[in-house]
Amino acid sequence: MNAEKTSDFALNKKYKILVVDDDVATRYMLRFLLEKEQHQVFEAEDGEVGLQQFREMQPDIVITDIIMPKKEGISLIKELRAEKSHLPVIAITSDVHGRAKEFLELSRQVGATTVIEKPISYDNLATALFESTQCSG
């Protein structure tokens, strides 16, 4: 991804973004990076709360972890797709027992627009945001 495109994206368009992750540190880091670019960020600690937040806040983009208590990311992605088929969804996960690629591929199959393996860098996040909004057009 061209750095100019991702920084243009970060500077020009502001989004309402819902971050769904059971890890407080990951939510904090994503909020910090996204708010630094002036995006409006909402948080949820699991898929159940994430679905409620989605319905209340109507975000432009959802970033969701895959492995969470209560409702996992795969189920959340399926429900988001059923409610808003063109919503950009970015799936994230750590390499749990060497299965990150498997979880991320499954996420794509159920409707994630873009996937990122943790740890997440600013560049990976900017690229994922750019790609997910281009794909969901």
Side-chain angles (χ1 to χ4, degrees), residues 18-35 41-46 49 63 65 68-69 92 118 120:
L18 173 60
V19 174
V20 185
D21 198 310
D22 59 320
D23 181 60
V24 175
T26 299
R27 289 197 317 266
Y28 177 83
M29 183 268 306
L30 288 170
R31 175 182 283 279
F32 175 79
L33 292 175
L34 294 166
E35 287 181 343
V41 180
F42 305 96
E43 295 180 30
E45 65 271 7
D46 62 53
V49 176
I63 300 173
D65 190 19
M68 297 181 287
I92 60 176
K118 295 177 185 176
I120 301 167

Side-chain angles (χ1 to χ4, degrees), residues 66-136:
I66 301 304
I67 308 300
M68 297 181 287
K70 297 185 182 179
K71 183 185 298 286
E72 292 189 348
I74 299 297
S75 297
L76 177 61
I77 294 167
K78 288 178 182 179
E79 291 186 51
L80 293 172
R81 280 284 163 251
E83 292 193 27
K84 191 173 180 184
S85 63
H86 294 316
L87 176 75
V89 177
I90 300 170
I92 60 176
T93 197
S94 340
D95 197 11
V96 180
H97 305 296
R99 298 182 64 191
K101 289 186 183 359
E102 178 184 338
F103 290 138
L104 293 173
E105 181 55 35
L106 180 58
S107 299
R108 280 191 192 277
Q109 290 173 12
V110 299
T113 318
T114 308
V115 299
I116 307 174
E117 187 173 338
K118 295 177 185 176
I120 301 167
S121 70
Y122 174 83
D123 289 340
N124 287 347
L125 181 60
T127 298
L129 288 169
F130 179 81
E131 290 176 354
S132 68
T133 56
Q134 299 305 300
C135 292
S136 62

